């Protein structure tokens, strides 16, 4: 999902995704927002998101970083107050890893 947020911020979504986003809006979680921001602000290109950002046209990475630094109001940010009870109700066989080191 973080890759989708990266595509949205870079303006690289296909027609089907663009239509769905216009109908339903764009939402992310604080964890995904943080992980994507951390990936694109890092000096090392080690993960798939930072590699994807590095493969964009020259001006797009700068615009994506700026968009992450000032997330536009049209991108909803789910509150953990709402999200945690839903996550807690999920029956998973192993613990969820919220943030990677």
């Amino acid at each position: 999902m973080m890759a989708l947020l990266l595509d949205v911020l870079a303006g690289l979504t296909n027609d089907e995704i663009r239509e769905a986003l216009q109908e339903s809006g764009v939402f992310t979680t604080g964890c995904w927002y943080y992980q994507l921001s951390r990936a694109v602000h890092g000096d090392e290109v080690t993960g798939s998101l930072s590699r994807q950002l590095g493969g964009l046209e020259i001006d797009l990475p700068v615009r994506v970083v700026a968009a992450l630094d000032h997330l536009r109001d049209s991108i909803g940010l789910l509150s953990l107050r709402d999200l945690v009870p839903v996550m807690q109700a999920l029956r998973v066989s192993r613990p969820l890893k919220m943030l990677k080191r």
Side-chain angles (χ1 to χ4, degrees), residues 11-65:
L12 299 175
T13 54
N14 62 33
D15 291 340
E16 183 180 357
I17 296 292
R18 247 187 316 277
E19 288 176 25
L21 295 174
Q22 288 175 345
E23 290 177 17
S24 304
V26 178
F27 288 84
T28 190
T29 66
C31 292
W32 287 343
Y33 177 37
Y34 171 71
Q35 285 183 322
L36 179 57
S37 184
R38 187 170 172 195
V40 303
H41 279 88
D43 293 332
E44 297 179 18
V45 180
T46 57
S48 62
L49 293 172
S50 56
R51 280 194 301 274
Q52 183 177 345
L53 185 72
L56 297 176
E57 295 176 18
I58 292 174
D59 67 329
L60 280 179
V62 173
R63 291 195 332 232
V64 169
V65 169

Side-chain angles (χ1 to χ4, degrees), residues 77-87:
L77 191 58
L78 294 174
S79 168
L80 289 177
R81 184 181 313 265
D82 299 323
L83 192 58
V84 167
V86 174
M87 292 171 65

